[in-house]
Amino acid sequence: MSEIFGDVRLEIRDGIGVLTLLGTEGVWPWGTCRQEHRWNPAASAAANMSSHPSWAPDVSEVMVMTNEGKYWSNGMDLRYLDSCSGKASQQLQKDTNELMARICCFPLPTVAAFRGHWCAAGAMMGLAFDYRVMSSDVGFFFIPGVDLGLIYAPMQTALMKAKLPQSLHRDVILFNSRRWTAKDLLAAGAIDAAEPLQAVLHKALQLATALRSKGQGPPRKALQGLKQGLYHEVLEALSAGAMSFPGRVSGLQLVSKRIGLQLHIRRKIMAEKAFGGLPARNRTAMVLSDDVFYGRAIMKIPRQALITVETGRNDKLKSEMTRFLFEEMTLQKVFNITSEDYIHLLSLAYTLLAERRDADSVFIEWLNATKNEKVFALELSSRQQQVLVGTTVEGAIQEMAERRDLIWQTAPNLTFFKRRPVSMEEASWALAVIMRHGRVVHPYQDQREVRDPRMYIFPLPELLDVALHPNPGVSIGFQEEIVINGKREEDLVLQIARRDMPKGEEIFLWPGRLSNSEMIARHGFSFRENPVGIGRNVSQPPSWSDKKDSKGRKEYDLYNCSSLEDFELRFNERGFPMRSFVRCYRISWFINNGWYSPALKNRMRELNKWPPPEKYTKSDWLSWTQADAEVNRVILEYCQYMRQRLKETMDANTAEDFRHSKDPTDRVLWHMRSEESRTFKNCIVQAKKIKT
């Protein structure tokens, strides 16, 4: 038999119950990677259900617990503890400690098969088992309470004393003096076997088979009582309290006291603003306050100082949001919304609105500074909206209105907003703030294969003056990192210098992969030179797969064609397509027409080149010429269509009206339409020059 309980699978193999902590991809709503198997309410509940003694009488005689992925367990879910109330924190610790005690005195023999790290509370959980088999080539054991600034619960201390040889008490329990390997632990007598990774479960099952007789008949009836007598101090300490954190800073303290915040930036002085005749639009830019060398942090921001669903300060709202958006799947079932972008939009919007309504919010200065934010497209008159018709952002008004209405319409599902419903104005403000001040943050380096970048709000008044720049080579993105400060782990968001940067150099933030037309629809301004240009018309290749581990998708990833955005037609103002589209469309053509070869990986320069050479010199010239002809056909047809649409959707009188208008909004809109018309005209000229 086999059953799934959350992220735990229970299998019965010839009288042996095998619990496997599954390598489920993705993250919990509060930001913890599920594959770390950290102990949070969901993980504890799944383990409780799957290992409950009610299974024992009928289906198994021995219990084995193993894991998929890098971790057996990486400990208590500290992110969850940071994000929840004191009551919820106490309940989680109580549930986890009771689970440890129950496994310690389980009425059957138990075996832990560690195929990865077992650390902190995960190490304690592993010690609760009767026998332990550990991988000899991957994985460590350690319990870092002292370095996290916490004091163990009395029950946890009793468990470690009971299960660890006395020779390890000082180095493991008190001082966390090292990362212990299987070889070290076997020599010390803390584990029973060390095997290569692929043999760990096999060895554990061999051991379990030898123990089956102790889970039958009279031995089975006596076993739990014997364990309870041997480990009575563990059971007696269960009610003596939870962990305490005298040396650990809370998330609220991080925010209110700005602990751990480092911003090596400052406003320009008057002389710097005037230097070189900088245009007015750059006069709010910030500069480095210090030299920052390659690989060092320009900004170092505690993750708790950001606004996200997991760092919200209202515990009741956060709990409701987690159920509504991530657990009960109400959006999918009731509103037929499956897009993760929309789900995370709502999680940010609800959290923002709760902070806005809190007169004592720690973000009050930033909230006051952003109280007048508006979505440009939603502020246009009917006359001005007509200018967008026929452009690449023709649907921007409808899209923005749908997002605003979604915030407004779904908020009453949360009791927090029932007494005082969210107004249309509040929903518009939340959308505007997210679009203007939301920043893409890339996940930890070792999670980038399984987790997409997320958008967070940076509620820091200092960042309001940082200018945007459309070129990701000039602006610098943010990334999550866990930094070891001494022996203390710090959960941070960093902006890292990509080269040595001198004091006084301008610092920019990236607005996202937006064309000038998209920038105007969202924010009402554009950039003089935007390398992304005009964008629209995503075409999905026939061989494309959303599954990252599929064979075809892996081929696309070799050429940095890992997103459908790479198949979006975007042009610079001179009418040249972005090289990512040219490269990825060529690769798609080669794959779908049977001309693909792994050797193409060595010809990236040719794959990126546009316009193509008039003549190829290699033996595969025919396939390359045909690929170029197809790429050029797609480009020419699209540019001709868009050029014609722009002509057909505006009459001469309206064009004359906007061309000579002095209204700032009219001028911005006319600039956008003129830029698109000019771009598609240039595109047609360039495409017709190409001989294929």
Side-chain angles (χ1 to χ4, degrees), residues 40-97:
N40 55 47
S44 292
N48 262 308
M49 286 288 293
S50 56
S51 65
H52 199 277
S54 63
W55 287 97
D58 300 321
V59 295
S60 61
E61 294 151 352
V62 184
M63 183 178 76
V64 175
M65 182 179 281
T66 189
N67 64 289
E68 295 177 349
K70 184 177 178 181
Y71 301 94
W72 190 85
S73 173
N74 206 19
M76 190 68 75
D77 195 333
L78 297 180
R79 276 192 171 182
Y80 176 82
L81 292 182
D82 276 341
S83 70
C84 69
S85 65
K87 184 177 179 181
S89 172
Q90 294 288 324
Q91 186 61 49
L92 171 61
Q93 293 184 59
K94 179 176 181 292
D95 292 344
T96 305
N97 288 345

Side-chain angles (χ1 to χ4, degrees), residues 341-624:
D341 289 342
Y342 276 49
I343 293 171
H344 289 295
L345 167 73
L346 292 176
S347 71
L348 284 177
Y350 299 150
T351 309
L352 264 176
L353 290 169
E355 292 292 345
R356 189 191 195 196
R357 292 183 175 187
D358 183 1
D360 297 321
S361 172
V362 293
F363 305 124
I364 194 67
E365 182 183 356
W366 179 84
L367 289 165
N368 287 336
T370 59
K371 64 183 179 182
N372 294 320
E373 292 286 3
K374 299 182 184 301
V375 180
F376 181 78
L378 297 181
E379 299 297 309
L380 300 179
S381 66
S382 298
R383 166 182 163 275
Q384 291 167 337
Q385 291 176 15
Q386 292 302 311
V387 182
L388 299 184
V389 178
T391 69
T392 59
V393 290
E394 181 177 10
I397 296 173
Q398 181 180 350
E399 179 188 351
M400 302 303 171
E402 286 176 354
R403 295 186 179 192
R404 176 201 61 198
D405 293 347
L406 185 63
I407 297 170
W408 175 54
Q409 292 168 356
T410 58
N413 287 275
L414 305 174
T415 57
F416 183 86
F417 295 115
K418 281 185 178 179
R419 180 175 298 179
R420 183 182 162 196
V422 171
S423 67
M424 186 71 78
E425 182 274 330
E426 285 181 305
S428 296
W429 171 82
L431 177 61
V433 168
I434 292 169
M435 290 187 359
R436 179 66 179 85
H437 300 287
R439 299 283 169 255
V440 172
V441 178
H442 295 276
Y444 309 114
Q445 193 68 41
D446 63 351
Q447 293 184 14
R448 293 186 181 178
E449 293 297 319
V450 298
R451 181 179 156 198
D452 293 326
R454 297 274 293 277
M455 182 171 284
Y456 298 153
I457 303 293
F458 288 63
L460 302 172
E462 297 91 336
L463 297 190
L464 292 173
D465 291 329
V466 180
L468 302 177
H469 198 288
N471 190 337
V474 175
S475 54
I476 303 174
F478 291 95
Q479 62 191 61
E480 289 181 306
E481 295 290 349
I482 293 181
V483 176
I484 306 299
N485 184 2
K487 286 191 175 181
R488 185 189 301 277
E489 287 187 356
E490 295 182 351
D491 201 355
L492 302 172
V493 170
L494 307 176
Q495 188 187 48
I496 301 293
R498 297 172 183 157
R499 53 182 170 77
D500 291 347
M501 302 180 71
K503 178 180 178 179
E505 181 170 335
E506 283 189 321
I507 292 298
F508 298 94
L509 297 178
W510 190 49
R513 191 173 183 268
L514 302 175
S515 68
N516 272 344
S517 297
E518 291 164 326
M519 283 295 299
I520 288 173
R522 288 179 175 225
H523 309 304
F525 66 89
S526 62
F527 299 106
R528 180 173 295 179
E529 291 184 5
N530 189 338
V532 173
I534 307 300
R536 196 182 179 187
N537 194 41
V538 179
S539 54
Q540 180 169 324
S543 53
W544 176 265
S545 173
D546 289 329
K547 296 181 179 179
K548 295 181 180 180
D549 58 350
S550 66
K551 182 178 179 181
R553 176 65 180 274
K554 287 180 179 178
E555 293 297 334
Y556 281 116
D557 288 347
L558 292 174
Y559 303 90
N560 292 325
C561 304
S562 53
S563 166
L564 285 179
E565 285 187 347
D566 296 313
F567 296 90
E568 186 176 29
L569 277 164
R570 288 182 177 265
F571 304 87
N572 62 25
E573 196 174 3
R574 293 181 299 153
F576 288 97
M578 301 304 293
R579 66 181 184 180
S580 59
F581 170 79
V582 173
R583 177 181 68 252
C584 295
Y585 203 94
R586 274 175 169 150
I587 290 297
S588 173
W589 189 91
F590 287 134
I591 290 174
N592 295 320
N593 289 275
W595 291 96
Y596 177 75
S597 164
L600 291 171
K601 186 70 173 64
N602 301 320
R603 299 173 68 177
M604 291 292 280
R605 179 174 295 182
E606 291 174 272
L607 287 169
N608 285 328
K609 185 176 176 58
W610 197 263
E614 291 189 8
K615 184 177 181 180
Y616 288 102
T617 58
K618 296 186 178 181
S619 59
D620 57 357
W621 62 269
L622 179 60
S623 62
W624 278 75

Side-chain angles (χ1 to χ4, degrees), residues 224-254:
Q224 186 170 40
L226 289 170
K227 289 184 181 181
Q228 289 171 344
L230 181 61
Y231 303 123
H232 68 92
E233 292 181 357
V234 176
L235 299 177
E236 290 169 359
L238 257 180
S239 59
M243 296 185 297
S244 60
F245 297 83
R248 195 160 181 266
V249 181
S250 72
L252 191 58
Q253 286 176 307
L254 286 173

